[in-house]
């Protein structure tokens, strides 16, 4: 039950992060930045929010043993791994499947689910691992 509850909180965090990511990206495009730069600036804001949210609410972490800086960098690393799995899954499916090539939303969905699972497992078992 605890894992399911954590997963649901993790999904809430991700939904809020999407709003932050999309909002900052759109804002920076509106003030004149190109979409790639805007997205590059939005990602650190969103990942920092999810780190804070997940350590406070999802995993109720205590970073005294490793330090906040190390915990944050470990968390960002796990999230970048999930992002890589997301984009890699998407690219592979678009390349291998004519259906996904014609309907890339399928690849986005599969990549998002794969990335979500990797991100959750990385956060739970690496970044916020408890030494009980």
């Amino acid at each position: 039950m605890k894992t399911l509850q954590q997963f649901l909180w993790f999904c809430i965090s991700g939904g809020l992060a999407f709003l932050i990511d999309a909002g900052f990206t759109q804002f920076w495009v509106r003030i004149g930045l190109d979409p790639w730069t805007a997205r590059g600036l939005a990602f650190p804001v969103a990942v920092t929010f999810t780190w804070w949210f997940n350590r406070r609410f999802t995993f109720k972490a205590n970073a005294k043993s490793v330090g906040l800086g190390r915990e944050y960098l470990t968390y960002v690393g796990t999230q970048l791994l999930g992002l890589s799995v997301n984009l890699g899954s998407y690219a592979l499916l678009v390349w291998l499947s004519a259906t996904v090539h014609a309907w890339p939303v399928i690849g986005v969905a599969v990549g998002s689910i794969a990335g979500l699972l990797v991100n959750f497992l990385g956060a739970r078992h690496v970044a916020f691992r408890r030494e009980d």
Side-chain angles (χ1 to χ4, degrees), residues 21 24-30 33-44:
D21 193 1
F24 273 94
T25 299
Q26 189 61 44
F27 169 76
W28 282 317
V29 165
R30 286 287 205 201
L33 294 178
D34 67 90
W36 300 104
T37 302
R39 188 70 197 279
L41 292 172
F43 178 77

Side-chain angles (χ1 to χ4, degrees), residues 29-73:
V29 165
R30 286 287 205 201
I31 65 169
L33 294 178
D34 67 90
W36 300 104
T37 302
R39 188 70 197 279
L41 292 172
F43 178 77
V45 176
V47 80
T48 299
F49 167 79
T50 61
W51 167 73
W52 171 82
F53 185 98
N54 287 320
R55 84 175 315 275
R56 173 76 172 87
F57 299 105
T58 306
F59 301 107
K60 297 177 176 61
N62 181 349
K64 289 179 185 171
S65 62
V66 296
L68 285 177
R70 184 172 175 190
E71 179 189 270
Y72 176 77
L73 291 175

Side-chain angles (χ1 to χ4, degrees), residues 3 59 78 119-131:
T3 301
F59 301 107
T78 65
N119 282 340
F120 176 71
L121 293 172
R124 186 169 198 271
H125 296 291
V126 178
F128 300 116
R129 180 183 67 224
R130 289 193 178 223
E131 300 292 330

